[in-house]
Amino acid sequence: MVDFLQDLSPVVQALLAGLFTWSFTALGAASVFLTKEINRKFLDTMLGFAAGVMIAASYWSLLSPAIEMSSMRQVPVWLPAAVGFLLGGLFLKGMDELFPHIQYGRPSKDAEGIKTSWQRSTLLVLAVTLHNIPEGLAIGVAFGAVAVGHASANLAGALALTIGIGIQNFPEGLVISLPLRREGMTCLKSFFYGQASAIVEPIAAVVGAGSVILVESILPYALSFAAGAMIFVVIEEIIPESQRGGNASLATMGAMIGFVVMMILDVSFG
């Protein structure tokens, strides 16, 4: 796999990686063809797992390389990581305030963002789509870092990040397609909406890779920006949702396992 990707341009690498992570969302959404229901304990465990993966990826694959790269610059070593991290969180906060969306399991009256008459299905898809933007950016920036030749970045590490994000995308497809099926939507339409939420990932991956290749100096800021955006999503949405169903211990253990899995992937291949 690594040998095959080495012959491609970094933008194409990022695009393929984004399509790979999208496919896991589609796989989760395809569960709608098998069942209408989702076991809440399983869902909370998977959401916890996703949170753990994203936390680990934010440090091992994004913040740590950003800090290492900053040591070679004429600024305090912590500055790019701190600035980029906070900007990433502010960016997601702004997106939350701007785009109408609703989280899984919440009533329609709890929709966030600008008030709209859009259907509940659209608001559900937008909620997960917002979460997928930083994941796509993280993948793209990781491949872009390899392209510009930073010593702390390598193709195996970018692949490890891609695999980790792909695995945690599975429950995101579930939390869109199955609720829509229970509300009376056809299997095919429920699947379509479920997988559509991740289409933004390959787009964001291409944008992330292209940006750091064109302007190499923003790389540590871009890495930490993606980390900040992902941590915002974890704290704001994923962890609270995983705890709401009364399965806090399962969700917490899922997060611990997810963190360890992503850490092993990154340390072993990165």
Side-chain angles (χ1 to χ4, degrees):
M1 175 65 74
V2 174
D3 292 338
F4 167 73
L5 289 174
Q6 283 177 337
D7 297 329
L8 303 175
S9 75
V11 172
V12 174
Q13 291 172 352
L15 175 62
L16 292 176
L19 290 172
F20 174 83
T21 57
W22 161 82
S23 70
F24 274 81
T25 305
L27 186 62
S31 300
V32 76
F33 294 108
L34 303 177
T35 180
K36 281 186 179 181
E37 300 298 327
I38 181 170
N39 182 280
R40 185 70 205 202
K41 289 183 178 180
F42 172 75
L43 176 61
D44 289 344
T45 303
M46 289 298 294
L47 287 173
F49 181 87
V53 168
M54 291 177 73
I55 292 170
S58 296
Y59 175 73
W60 296 100
S61 299
L62 300 171
L63 280 175
S64 181
I67 293 170
E68 184 175 343
M69 293 171 189
S70 301
S71 64
M72 298 176 285
R73 297 171 183 265
Q74 301 301 314
V75 295
V77 69
W78 50 265
L79 184 63
V83 170
F85 186 85
L86 292 175
L87 286 177
L90 287 173
F91 171 76
L92 257 292
K93 176 61 176 175
M95 297 284 279
D96 268 355
E97 296 290 339
L98 179 62
F99 288 96
H101 61 285
I102 187 170
Q103 300 302 324
Y104 166 76
R106 305 292 176 86
S108 297
K109 65 182 180 64
D110 288 345
E112 302 176 65
I114 297 174
K115 299 301 179 183
T116 178
S117 60
W118 291 350
Q119 293 183 344
R120 178 179 173 84
S121 58
T122 303
L123 296 177
L124 282 168
V125 172
L126 281 174
V128 180
T129 299
L130 290 177
H131 296 178
N132 285 330
I133 291 173
E135 296 170 12
L137 287 174
I139 292 168
V141 171
F143 280 96
V146 177
V148 298
H150 274 281
S152 59
N154 61 67
L155 194 55
L159 283 173
L161 175 63
T162 301
I163 293 169
I165 289 178
I167 293 171
Q168 65 89 36
N169 271 1
F170 182 84
E172 294 183 354
L174 284 173
V175 300
I176 296 295
S177 61
L178 292 182
L180 294 178
R181 180 70 181 116
R182 285 200 305 271
E183 292 174 9
M185 191 173 286
T186 66
C187 289
L188 193 58
K189 286 189 70 175
S190 299
F191 168 75
F192 173 79
Y193 277 113
Q195 61 80 33
S197 64
I199 289 177
V200 70
E201 284 200 9
I203 298 171
V206 168
V207 171
S211 297
V212 298
I213 292 170
L214 291 174
V215 188
E216 182 181 346
S217 60
I218 70 169
L219 183 52
Y221 295 93
L223 286 167
S224 51
F225 179 94
M230 289 210 295
I231 292 296
F232 180 92
V233 169
V234 170
I235 297 173
E236 175 81 1
E237 304 292 352
I238 298 180
I239 289 178
E241 182 57 39
S242 73
Q243 306 280 320
R244 281 198 326 120
N247 302 303
S249 294
L250 287 174
T252 301
M253 287 308 302
M256 299 289 288
I257 294 170
F259 186 96
V260 169
V261 168
M262 187 65 234
M263 180 180 68
I264 292 172
L265 281 172
D266 193 86
V267 173
S268 297
F269 300 105

